Amino acid sequence: RPPVTEGRLFGLPPGADFPAALVEGLRARMAGEPPEAMARVTLFLNTGRMARAVEAAFHAGPPGFLPRIHLVDQLAEMLPPGLPPAVPGLRRRLELVNLISALLEAQPDLAPRSALYDLADSLVRLMEEMRGEGVAPEALAGLDVSGHSAHWARAQAFLGIVAPFFGPDSEPDAMARQRMAAERLIALWGERPPQDPVIVAGSTGSRGTTFLLMQAVAALPKGMIILP
């Protein structure tokens, strides 16, 4: 993990108006710079609502340039074309329904058929979490669950369904595509680190892909993390 050097990590006290304080702090930090310097700042925010609030705070103050605002879950917009499109969520669920249906026909004691769609939804959520955290199916197979071996053997038969979706030629879902976008953006930064400020504001890194981005930003020449 790259170290977060002194002066890279900031926070605001509980109850602070985060968008207003963020804009005030940005303006104070950029004081003395030419007006267009703010337009070279890249600002990653965690939600569209936060982005709108930050823009409104900028518009409420003196006229000037806005920073380049992006959402942490829309990194693909910053990359050249080339990322494969994400598989629609409904299609992925139907693919899993077919696979689970075949498994239940072969092993009817695993679960009742009435649970077919609930099981598909559970697998989709599991896959999304695995994608976001960068966890491969092999990691599940290596878990030490000796105290629950009988139950785990049944669970492994069920969880094995997701393995083909993690292959090198598999089509990515939305979470996998987001992870790919983060890794490609970080690789580009490794080749040509941005020399202007890059800031992640309002995120805690609770999602693996966001945490990966925050680590990379903290290691940039002018990278900053502003915690909520």
Side-chain angles (χ1 to χ4, degrees), residues 60-87:
F65 291 96
L66 290 175
R68 292 175 289 192
I69 297 176
H70 302 277
L71 300 185
V72 294
D73 61 355
Q74 295 179 0
L75 302 180
E77 297 178 353
M78 303 181 62
L79 295 171
L83 277 182
V87 173

Side-chain angles (χ1 to χ4, degrees), residues 38-89:
M38 183 68 79
R40 295 196 297 269
V41 175
T42 299
L43 180 61
F44 291 100
L45 299 172
N46 56 337
T47 65
R49 180 180 179 182
M50 175 68 77
R52 291 189 295 272
V54 167
E55 289 186 9
F58 269 107
H59 291 315
F65 291 96
L66 290 175
R68 292 175 289 192
I69 297 176
H70 302 277
L71 300 185
V72 294
D73 61 355
Q74 295 179 0
L75 302 180
E77 297 178 353
M78 303 181 62
L79 295 171
L83 277 182
V87 173

Side-chain angles (χ1 to χ4, degrees), residues 83-97:
L83 277 182
V87 173
L90 178 59
R91 175 182 149 191
R92 182 52 46 88
R93 278 173 167 78
L94 292 176
E95 290 172 342
L96 289 172
V97 164

Side-chain angles (χ1 to χ4, degrees), residues 143-153:
L143 291 176
D144 181 9
V145 288
S146 54
H148 307 277
S149 55
H151 172 74
W152 184 241

